[in-house]
mmCIF file of all heavy atoms in Angstrom:
data_model
loop_
_atom_site.group_PDB
_atom_site.id
_atom_site.type_symbol
_atom_site.label_atom_id
_atom_site.label_comp_id
_atom_site.label_asym_id
_atom_site.label_seq_id
_atom_site.Cartn_x
_atom_site.Cartn_y
_atom_site.Cartn_z
ATOM 1 N N PHE A 771 -46.378 69.710 -12.359
ATOM 2 C CA PHE A 771 -46.193 68.756 -11.271
ATOM 3 C C PHE A 771 -47.048 69.117 -10.052
ATOM 4 O O PHE A 771 -47.749 68.265 -9.479
ATOM 5 C CB PHE A 771 -44.686 68.731 -10.879
ATOM 6 C CG PHE A 771 -44.400 67.909 -9.652
ATOM 7 C CD1 PHE A 771 -44.172 66.547 -9.749
ATOM 8 C CD2 PHE A 771 -44.336 68.477 -8.422
ATOM 9 C CE1 PHE A 771 -43.925 65.772 -8.634
ATOM 10 C CE2 PHE A 771 -44.074 67.739 -7.262
ATOM 11 C CZ PHE A 771 -43.862 66.383 -7.371
ATOM 12 N N LEU A 772 -47.007 70.401 -9.675
ATOM 13 C CA LEU A 772 -47.729 70.825 -8.480
ATOM 14 C C LEU A 772 -49.256 70.651 -8.634
ATOM 15 O O LEU A 772 -49.948 70.397 -7.663
ATOM 16 C CB LEU A 772 -47.399 72.278 -8.153
ATOM 17 C CG LEU A 772 -45.966 72.503 -7.601
ATOM 18 C CD1 LEU A 772 -45.702 74.007 -7.398
ATOM 19 C CD2 LEU A 772 -45.733 71.750 -6.303
ATOM 20 N N ASN A 773 -49.734 70.753 -9.842
ATOM 21 C CA ASN A 773 -51.160 70.615 -10.105
ATOM 22 C C ASN A 773 -51.690 69.245 -9.745
ATOM 23 O O ASN A 773 -52.887 69.070 -9.575
ATOM 24 C CB ASN A 773 -51.468 70.888 -11.582
ATOM 25 C CG ASN A 773 -51.833 72.335 -11.796
ATOM 26 O OD1 ASN A 773 -52.283 72.978 -10.843
ATOM 27 N ND2 ASN A 773 -51.544 72.862 -12.963
ATOM 28 N N LYS A 774 -50.814 68.245 -9.680
ATOM 29 C CA LYS A 774 -51.347 66.889 -9.420
ATOM 30 C C LYS A 774 -50.695 66.173 -8.285
ATOM 31 O O LYS A 774 -51.124 65.084 -7.904
ATOM 32 C CB LYS A 774 -51.209 66.050 -10.695
ATOM 33 C CG LYS A 774 -49.808 65.973 -11.234
ATOM 34 C CD LYS A 774 -49.828 65.430 -12.665
ATOM 35 C CE LYS A 774 -48.536 65.732 -13.360
ATOM 36 N NZ LYS A 774 -48.619 65.637 -14.816
ATOM 37 N N VAL A 775 -49.663 66.749 -7.675
ATOM 38 C CA VAL A 775 -48.890 66.018 -6.659
ATOM 39 C C VAL A 775 -49.776 65.585 -5.482
ATOM 40 O O VAL A 775 -49.506 64.528 -4.874
ATOM 41 C CB VAL A 775 -47.656 66.818 -6.179
ATOM 42 C CG1 VAL A 775 -48.038 68.095 -5.503
ATOM 43 C CG2 VAL A 775 -46.766 65.982 -5.283
ATOM 44 N N HIS A 776 -50.839 66.331 -5.167
ATOM 45 C CA HIS A 776 -51.715 65.962 -4.033
ATOM 46 C C HIS A 776 -52.317 64.549 -4.195
ATOM 47 O O HIS A 776 -52.658 63.924 -3.217
ATOM 48 C CB HIS A 776 -52.815 67.000 -3.825
ATOM 49 C CG HIS A 776 -53.735 67.140 -4.980
ATOM 50 N ND1 HIS A 776 -53.447 67.956 -6.046
ATOM 51 C CD2 HIS A 776 -54.921 66.558 -5.281
ATOM 52 C CE1 HIS A 776 -54.413 67.887 -6.948
ATOM 53 N NE2 HIS A 776 -55.331 67.036 -6.492
ATOM 54 N N ASN A 777 -52.421 64.107 -5.438
ATOM 55 C CA ASN A 777 -53.001 62.747 -5.664
ATOM 56 C C ASN A 777 -52.037 61.647 -5.246
ATOM 57 O O ASN A 777 -52.422 60.465 -5.203
ATOM 58 C CB ASN A 777 -53.303 62.555 -7.162
ATOM 59 C CG ASN A 777 -54.427 63.469 -7.627
ATOM 60 O OD1 ASN A 777 -55.397 63.655 -6.903
ATOM 61 N ND2 ASN A 777 -54.243 64.092 -8.783
ATOM 62 N N PHE A 778 -50.799 62.030 -4.970
ATOM 63 C CA PHE A 778 -49.786 60.994 -4.678
ATOM 64 C C PHE A 778 -49.212 61.105 -3.261
ATOM 65 O O PHE A 778 -48.227 60.472 -2.939
ATOM 66 C CB PHE A 778 -48.660 61.103 -5.720
ATOM 67 C CG PHE A 778 -49.174 60.849 -7.101
ATOM 68 C CD1 PHE A 778 -49.656 61.907 -7.888
ATOM 69 C CD2 PHE A 778 -49.250 59.576 -7.610
ATOM 70 C CE1 PHE A 778 -50.174 61.671 -9.149
ATOM 71 C CE2 PHE A 778 -49.784 59.325 -8.884
ATOM 72 C CZ PHE A 778 -50.243 60.371 -9.627
ATOM 73 N N LEU A 779 -49.853 61.929 -2.413
ATOM 74 C CA LEU A 779 -49.388 62.109 -1.043
ATOM 75 C C LEU A 779 -50.329 61.392 -0.074
ATOM 76 O O LEU A 779 -51.537 61.587 -0.133
ATOM 77 C CB LEU A 779 -49.337 63.591 -0.713
ATOM 78 C CG LEU A 779 -48.160 64.393 -1.347
ATOM 79 C CD1 LEU A 779 -48.475 65.885 -1.335
ATOM 80 C CD2 LEU A 779 -46.861 64.143 -0.609
ATOM 81 N N ASN A 780 -49.765 60.623 0.812
ATOM 82 C CA ASN A 780 -50.568 60.004 1.881
ATOM 83 C C ASN A 780 -50.934 61.079 2.913
ATOM 84 O O ASN A 780 -50.153 62.030 3.099
ATOM 85 C CB ASN A 780 -49.762 58.932 2.617
ATOM 86 C CG ASN A 780 -49.770 57.617 1.891
ATOM 87 O OD1 ASN A 780 -50.824 57.221 1.367
ATOM 88 N ND2 ASN A 780 -48.668 56.933 1.861
ATOM 89 N N PRO A 781 -52.084 60.960 3.569
ATOM 90 C CA PRO A 781 -52.392 61.933 4.631
ATOM 91 C C PRO A 781 -51.277 61.982 5.668
ATOM 92 O O PRO A 781 -50.756 60.937 6.093
ATOM 93 C CB PRO A 781 -53.690 61.371 5.263
ATOM 94 C CG PRO A 781 -54.257 60.500 4.213
ATOM 95 C CD PRO A 781 -53.129 59.972 3.410
ATOM 96 N N GLY A 782 -50.833 63.177 6.044
ATOM 97 C CA GLY A 782 -49.768 63.310 7.045
ATOM 98 C C GLY A 782 -48.384 63.335 6.445
ATOM 99 O O GLY A 782 -47.399 63.547 7.146
ATOM 100 N N SER A 783 -48.280 63.124 5.151
ATOM 101 C CA SER A 783 -46.952 63.102 4.488
ATOM 102 C C SER A 783 -46.460 64.491 4.213
ATOM 103 O O SER A 783 -47.215 65.456 4.313
ATOM 104 C CB SER A 783 -47.036 62.296 3.208
ATOM 105 O OG SER A 783 -47.954 62.949 2.346
ATOM 106 N N CYS A 784 -45.194 64.599 3.805
ATOM 107 C CA CYS A 784 -44.628 65.926 3.538
ATOM 108 C C CYS A 784 -44.228 66.099 2.094
ATOM 109 O O CYS A 784 -43.732 65.157 1.453
ATOM 110 C CB CYS A 784 -43.369 66.137 4.400
ATOM 111 S SG CYS A 784 -43.726 66.519 6.086
ATOM 112 N N LEU A 785 -44.426 67.304 1.589
ATOM 113 C CA LEU A 785 -43.895 67.699 0.293
ATOM 114 C C LEU A 785 -42.822 68.739 0.557
ATOM 115 O O LEU A 785 -43.067 69.797 1.180
ATOM 116 C CB LEU A 785 -45.015 68.301 -0.571
ATOM 117 C CG LEU A 785 -44.578 68.958 -1.890
ATOM 118 C CD1 LEU A 785 -43.940 67.905 -2.840
ATOM 119 C CD2 LEU A 785 -45.772 69.613 -2.601
ATOM 120 N N ALA A 786 -41.586 68.469 0.149
ATOM 121 C CA ALA A 786 -40.445 69.364 0.396
ATOM 122 C C ALA A 786 -39.873 69.806 -0.934
ATOM 123 O O ALA A 786 -39.591 68.963 -1.802
ATOM 124 C CB ALA A 786 -39.388 68.642 1.220
ATOM 125 N N ILE A 787 -39.698 71.121 -1.072
ATOM 126 C CA ILE A 787 -39.158 71.636 -2.354
ATOM 127 C C ILE A 787 -38.035 72.615 -2.125
ATOM 128 O O ILE A 787 -38.180 73.619 -1.415
ATOM 129 C CB ILE A 787 -40.293 72.299 -3.170
ATOM 130 C CG1 ILE A 787 -41.473 71.353 -3.344
ATOM 131 C CG2 ILE A 787 -39.773 72.785 -4.533
ATOM 132 C CD1 ILE A 787 -42.634 71.897 -4.143
#
Side-chain angles (χ1 to χ4, degrees):
F771 173 85
L772 289 176
N773 268 334
K774 57 195 162 198
V775 63
H776 60 275
N777 293 318
F778 299 89
L779 286 160
N780 277 321
S783 61
C784 283
L785 172 63
I787 306 181

